[in-house]
Amino acid sequence: MFSSACSFFYVLCAMVFVMRTVASTSAVNDEPCGAVITNMPGTFSSPPTFEENTTCTWQFNLNMPGQAFSFIYLTIEDFSLWPQDNLTVYNGYKSTEVIGVFTGRKSTFIVASTSSNTTVELMIGSTKSADTVPRGFNVSYTTEACKQALPSSGIFSSPYFVGGDNKTLQCNYSLTVQQGKAVDLALLELNLKDSLLHVNYFNGKNKSRVFNGSDSAQDVILNGLQDQTVSLNISLNTTGKANFTANYVELTQVCSAEVEIGLGVDPDQTYHVFQSPGYPYDYEHNARCRLVVKTMNASTTLVARISTLDLADDYDSIVVKDGRSKTSPSIVKLTKGFDTDYVITSSGDSLWFEFVSDDFLSAKGFVINITSQYFGGNFYNGSSISWDSATLPVGVVQTSATYKLAVTEGNQVYVTVTNATFLPADSKISFYDGDRADPALMIDSLATGTALHSVFSNSNQMLVTAEGFSKGQFAAKFEPTVVGCKQNSWGRSDSYTLSGDFSKSNCTWLIHPPAGATESELFALDINHISASSLKIYNSLAAEETELVVSLNNSIQSGPSVYLSATKGARVDYIYLDKGSTKLLDVGSDIVDASFTVKKACERVYTAKNGTISSPSFPNTYPLNAECVYALAAPAVSSISHIYMTFNAFQINDAHSLKIVDGNQSISTKLNGNSLPNDIVTLHDTMNLTFTSQTKGAQLQQTPLQGFQANYEILGVILYEFTRRNKSLELQRARNEFIMREEKCRDCSLIFYCIGLP
C-alpha cells in the first residue's frame, strides 16, 4: 500500500512540473532570469535584482502549427541599463546575426525578428558604478501587428531589423495632440531607400504626407488639426537597411506653419512674414513657434530680413537653421539686443525658424520678412556671382538679391566687379564688411556713372546687395586674400601698419567717411613711416586721378600729415616699384606706419583784440593738402582802427603759400620761403589769411617745413571832444604811441596815415 501511494505521488508531482513550465512560457515570466518562450503573445521583464556578471537568456521556440508569421515584434519599454550592461537581440539562435545591442537609457523602441528562434540575452556587468539610475526593462512580444502609441513627447524610431529578406515591415505609430496646439514631427534621420513613410492627419480634410527614399531629414509641421490624432504608417522594404528616427513637440498654433513662397507674379506668394504670437502686443509666456519656409521655384534660395526685434531677455530667442530640420546647420540665434541689420540667407531651398519664450518676462516681439531669390545665396572660398535679368526663368520676377561671401579664417574677401549695366538708372550694388547690411560698415556702393573697381572686406565675410535691378546685369568674382595688406577703416580714428611681408605687394587702406561727418571736418592723415616703394593718397575711395592728392616715395622716412575732406573718404595705395632688388626689406619689418583722426577744418575767426595765429601743427611741420582760412574781425577799438601783425617764425615751401588780404583789399600779398616777412599793418579793421599746402597730385620732393607763427594786435585812435585843458595831452599820447610803434615799424607812413596824426 505504501508503494502504491508513493507511485501516485510521483506521478502527481510530474504533472504539476509540466503544467508550471507551460504557464511560464505562454504569458508572464516568473523565472528570475530568462525563459523559454513557446507561445504568442506575451511579456517578460528584467530580473528584479541584477546579479553581478550574470547572463539571462530568453529563447523563443515557437510552435504555432498553421499560423505563419512574418515578424516577431518585441516592444521594449522603460529601458535603462548601466554602461557595463547590455541587451542583445539575435535573429535566431546566438550563433546567428545580431539585430541590435542596446545599453544606457532609451525611450520605447521596437525590434523585429524573422526567426521563430529569436534570442534575447541580457549580460549584467559589475554592480559597482557611479550610475545610480535603477536598471531594468519590460518587453512585450507579438506576431500580429507592429504598433506604438506615442507619449506626449519624445524620440521614436523605425523598428530594428536585419536586412536582406525581401519582406515588407509595416508599423503604425499614433500620436494624440493637445487641443488647440500644432505639432512638429521632426524626421531627424530619414533613410527610406525603397520604402515609404505616410503621415496621416485631419485638418478639415483627410490629408497624407508621403516620404520616400529621395527625401532627407526635415520637420513636418501640422497645424489646424481638428481630429487630434496623427497617424504614422511605415512600410519598410527589408531588402535594404531602411530606417528613420523622429521626435515631436507640441507648438503654439498661431505662429507655427510650413509655407512655400516663390518668385511668380502673384504678390501673395512672393513673401512670408514670421512674427511673434500676438504682435504688435506682447507675446505670450511659454510660447514655442516653429516655421519651415520652402521655395516653389527650382534653383532659388531664401532671404530673411529682421524688421523688428524686441525680446524681453536672453531666455527668449529665435534660432534659425539652414534647411528644413532642427538638425540642419545653424545660421544664427537671435536674442535681446541683436543687430537688426543682420541678413539671413539660405544655402538651399529652405529655412527653419524656432521662437521660444519663458514664463517670466515678455515684450513686443519680432517681425521677420522672408523672400526667395533666383540670383543670390551663400558662396564660399572663391567663386563668381552675377545678375542677369535676361536669364530669369519665364514667370519669375526679381528686383533685388543678397549674396553672402565667405572665405576661410585668416583671409579677407576680395571682389572684382568685371562688368555692370545699371537698369533702371537708380539700381545699385552695395558691399558690406561682415554678414549684415550695416550702413556704418558699408565698404562701397556702385551705381550708374561709377567706375568699376575692386572692393575688399576686413573680415572673412562680405555681404553684397543688388537693389532695383528690374533689368540690367552685373558680374563679379571673389577670392581670398591674406589679412594685413588691405584694410577698411570706419569711425573717427584708426591706424594702418603694413609689414615687410607685403613689401612686394600692392596694398590699399580705405578710410570711409565717418557717420555724421560734416563739410567742416577733415581727416588728419599722419604718415609716420615709409620704408620702401611709394604711397599714393587720394581724397576718394576710388583710385581716381582727379582725386589724387599727393605721391610719396621712399625718400621720405618720416612722412608728413595730409589733410583730406572727411565727407569724401580717402584711399592710401602702397605701390611696389620693382627696382631690380630681390628683397626690399627684411620680412617682419614695418614698411608703412600711418594713422588718422577726424578734426575740424583749419578755419578760424579771431575776435580778440590781440592774439597769435599759426599754421596747423606748428611748431611741427604743417600738413599737406591744407587750405586754412584765418579771419581777423575784432571789435574796433575806435572809430578808426588798424591791425598790426609781426611774424615770429616763417618757413613755407615754395610750392605753398600764405596769402594776406585786408578788408578793403588795399593789402594783398602772397608769401613763402624761409625769410621772416616784414611787419604788416592794415588800413582796415579786418584781415583774411589763407594758408595753402595743396599739391594737386604732384610727387613730393621734400617734406613740408615748420610753417609760420605771427602775433597780431588791433590798434586805433580814440577821438575826443577836445577841451583846451586836455587837447595837448591827448595829442602827446597819440604822438607817443606813434613813436613807440615807429621803432618796430617797417612801413611807418601807413601807421601815420592810419592813426591820423597831424
Side-chain angles (χ1 to χ4, degrees):
M1 182 175 181
F2 175 79
S3 177
S4 300
C6 225
S7 299
F8 175 78
F9 176 77
Y10 283 122
V11 171
L12 181 62
C13 287
M15 291 175 62
V16 171
F17 174 78
V18 171
M19 290 175 63
R20 184 163 180 240
T21 302
V22 172
S24 68
T25 58
S26 62
V28 179
N29 172 43
D30 293 327
E31 296 292 333
C33 188
V36 176
I37 301 172
T38 59
N39 291 317
M40 289 284 165
T43 63
F44 63 86
S45 302
S46 56
T49 59
F50 277 52
E51 305 257 347
E52 189 172 38
N53 299 321
T54 300
T55 299
C56 304
T57 303
W58 290 267
Q59 181 68 62
F60 285 81
N61 189 9
L62 299 185
N63 182 14
M64 301 185 304
Q67 298 184 26
F69 69 92
S70 297
F71 298 94
I72 298 174
Y73 301 108
L74 292 86
T75 302
I76 304 175
E77 302 176 284
D78 309 317
F79 184 85
S80 177
L81 294 180
W82 289 356
Q84 59 266 41
D85 310 326
N86 65 70
L87 183 72
T88 304
V89 182
Y90 298 87
N91 195 43
Y93 293 112
K94 286 184 61 174
S95 60
T96 58
E97 189 170 3
V98 174
I99 301 176
V101 179
F102 311 100
T103 190
R105 286 177 284 279
K106 290 175 65 67
S107 54
T108 300
F109 61 98
I110 299 172
V111 179
S113 172
T114 59
S115 173
S116 60
N117 303 115
T118 300
T119 304
V120 180
E121 181 181 72
L122 170 65
M123 297 185 68
I124 302 172
S126 171
T127 58
K128 297 178 181 179
S129 175
D131 200 333
T132 59
V133 176
R135 296 185 282 184
F137 55 83
N138 295 301
V139 180
S140 60
Y141 49 87
T142 183
T143 58
E144 294 179 0
C146 173
K147 59 183 179 180
Q148 182 180 346
L150 302 174
S152 57
S153 64
I155 295 179
F156 65 99
S157 62
S158 53
Y160 294 87
F161 65 92
V162 174
D165 294 333
N166 188 14
K167 293 184 178 181
T168 300
L169 190 159
Q170 294 187 332
C171 228
N172 174 267
Y173 304 82
S174 59
L175 168 65
T176 301
V177 183
Q178 182 180 340
Q179 186 70 36
K181 292 284 188 177
V183 65
D184 180 5
L185 176 63
L187 303 174
L188 306 177
E189 297 179 21
L190 204 58
N191 182 26
L192 295 178
K193 298 185 177 180
D194 296 330
S195 304
L196 297 175
L197 173 63
H198 295 258
V199 179
N200 304 310
Y201 60 101
F202 181 75
N203 63 352
K205 295 181 180 179
N206 287 315
K207 291 197 173 183
S208 179
R209 297 274 298 276
V210 182
F211 301 90
N212 56 40
S214 64
D215 292 306
S216 57
Q218 59 189 279
D219 284 18
V220 181
I221 298 178
L222 308 177
N223 207 335
L225 301 175
Q226 296 184 19
D227 179 353
Q228 298 306 113
T229 300
V230 177
S231 175
L232 288 82
N233 296 290
I234 184 73
S235 297
L236 296 177
N237 186 323
T238 60
T239 303
K241 289 290 289 184
N243 61 81
F244 77 89
T245 301
N247 74 357
Y248 47 93
V249 61
E250 291 185 343
L251 304 172
T252 305
Q253 185 166 274
V254 68
C255 54
S256 300
E258 276 187 77
V259 297
E260 287 189 334
I261 59 176
L263 289 165
V265 294
D266 184 353
D268 294 334
Q269 294 181 329
T270 59
Y271 70 96
H272 180 77
V273 179
F274 181 39
Q275 60 187 33
S276 50
Y279 185 88
Y281 305 104
D282 287 1
Y283 50 79
E284 61 191 71
H285 296 303
N286 298 314
R288 183 183 293 272
C289 309
R290 285 187 182 175
L291 172 71
V292 175
V293 185
K294 308 172 188 176
T295 63
M296 295 178 181
N297 310 94
S299 304
T300 56
T301 58
L302 294 168
V303 180
R305 295 181 180 270
I306 306 165
S307 174
T308 300
L309 186 66
D310 180 17
L311 302 180
D313 51 39
D314 290 341
Y315 297 101
D316 301 342
S317 64
I318 306 166
V319 174
V320 187
K321 301 289 185 83
D322 192 8
R324 301 185 179 188
S325 169
K326 187 175 183 178
T327 60
S328 299
S330 294
I331 296 178
V332 68
K333 181 177 182 180
L334 309 178
T335 55
K336 181 180 179 180
F338 195 89
D339 190 349
T340 56
D341 290 322
Y342 183 83
V343 181
I344 301 164
T345 57
S346 70
S347 298
D349 64 354
S350 305
L351 284 173
W352 183 95
F353 299 82
E354 180 182 53
F355 166 66
V356 292
S357 65
D358 63 7
D359 59 358
F360 185 48
L361 298 174
S362 185
K364 185 177 180 180
F366 63 88
V367 176
I368 299 175
N369 299 302
I370 308 161
T371 57
S372 63
Q373 56 180 10
Y374 184 78
F375 297 112
N378 298 330
F379 302 85
Y380 303 96
N381 289 327
S383 180
S384 296
I385 62 173
S386 64
W387 174 295
D388 189 348
S389 303
T391 64
L392 285 171
V394 177
V396 170
V397 178
Q398 184 178 353
T399 59
S400 63
T402 301
Y403 308 78
K404 272 192 176 179
L405 316 181
V407 295
T408 54
E409 292 287 343
N411 289 276
Q412 301 166 263
V413 181
Y414 186 78
V415 177
T416 302
V417 180
T418 55
N419 63 78
T421 303
F422 296 93
L423 291 174
D426 60 352
S427 56
K428 64 179 181 178
I429 311 168
S430 300
F431 304 85
Y432 300 88
D433 186 38
D435 53 12
R436 57 203 66 203
D438 184 351
L441 294 178
M442 179 183 286
I443 302 168
D444 208 345
S445 183
L446 302 182
T448 301
T450 305
L452 300 183
H453 55 271
S454 300
V455 294
F456 51 85
S457 65
N458 280 4
S459 68
N460 69 322
Q461 296 185 74
M462 182 188 291
L463 184 75
V464 182
T465 62
E467 301 172 82
F469 278 84
S470 58
K471 296 182 180 180
Q473 55 82 34
F474 78 86
K477 59 182 180 180
F478 80 96
E479 58 188 349
T481 184
V482 177
V483 170
C485 177
K486 303 179 187 303
Q487 178 178 316
N488 293 280
S489 292
W490 292 271
R492 303 182 72 83
S493 64
D494 202 0
S495 61
Y496 177 67
T497 302
L498 188 62
S499 76
D501 300 344
F502 300 102
S503 61
K504 292 191 176 183
S505 303
N506 292 327
C507 300
T508 299
W509 182 23
L510 296 181
I511 306 173
H512 298 267
T518 64
E519 294 294 337
S520 64
E521 291 182 315
L522 51 82
F523 293 130
L525 176 63
D526 295 324
I527 308 299
N528 306 316
H529 179 64
I530 308 172
S531 295
S533 287
S534 70
L535 291 183
K536 285 191 173 184
I537 301 173
Y538 301 85
N539 203 171
S540 68
L541 296 175
E544 300 175 2
E545 287 301 316
T546 57
E547 295 295 340
L548 179 62
V549 173
V550 67
S551 296
L552 307 176
N553 61 30
N554 61 343
S555 64
I556 302 174
Q557 299 302 315
S558 179
S561 296
V562 181
Y563 279 3
L564 304 159
S565 170
T567 58
K568 295 171 65 175
R571 179 187 184 104
V572 180
D573 281 345
Y574 168 81
I575 301 171
Y576 166 56
L577 301 177
D578 188 356
K579 300 179 180 179
S581 62
T582 58
K583 189 176 182 182
L584 285 177
L585 207 65
D586 290 336
V587 173
S589 301
D590 292 339
I591 53 178
V592 175
D593 179 22
S595 60
F596 83 91
T597 58
V598 174
K599 62 191 304 182
K600 288 290 186 181
C602 51
E603 296 180 359
R604 184 175 173 185
V605 175
Y606 293 79
T607 58
K609 289 194 296 182
N610 54 69
T612 301
I613 300 174
S614 61
S615 55
S617 303
F618 185 88
N620 299 318
T621 57
Y622 58 78
L624 293 172
N625 203 45
E627 185 170 8
C628 306
V629 177
Y630 310 92
L632 276 66
V637 297
S638 71
S639 59
I640 302 175
S641 300
H642 66 275
I643 299 173
Y644 183 85
M645 178 174 288
T646 183
F647 288 89
N648 306 317
F650 195 89
Q651 289 184 341
I652 297 177
N653 287 348
D654 292 342
H656 310 144
S657 66
L658 175 66
K659 183 177 181 180
I660 303 175
V661 180
D662 73 347
N664 61 7
Q665 298 188 357
S666 60
I667 295 178
S668 179
T669 184
K670 183 180 288 187
L671 307 172
N672 53 32
N674 295 323
S675 300
L676 201 67
N678 293 338
D679 291 0
I680 296 176
V681 180
T682 70
L683 302 181
H684 200 271
D685 57 3
T686 61
M687 178 190 289
N688 288 329
L689 292 83
T690 302
F691 171 70
T692 302
S693 61
Q694 293 180 331
T695 57
K696 298 181 180 179
Q699 178 77 39
L700 187 67
Q701 300 300 322
Q702 55 181 321
T703 57
L705 299 175
Q706 188 181 48
F708 71 91
Q709 185 187 65
N711 296 330
Y712 76 91
E713 185 175 1
I714 307 295
L715 299 176
V717 175
I718 303 173
L719 298 181
Y720 292 92
E721 193 175 316
F722 294 135
T723 63
R724 293 185 180 275
R725 267 188 325 168
N726 63 14
K727 180 177 179 181
S728 60
L729 178 63
E730 296 302 327
L731 289 174
Q732 185 58 47
R733 286 180 181 173
R735 288 192 179 91
N736 289 341
E737 179 182 351
F738 171 73
I739 294 170
M740 179 178 64
R741 299 297 177 188
E742 184 179 23
E743 294 175 358
K744 297 194 301 180
C745 182
R746 293 178 176 82
D747 196 352
C748 294
S749 61
L750 288 176
I751 292 181
F752 185 85
Y753 174 83
C754 180
I755 62 175
L757 290 176

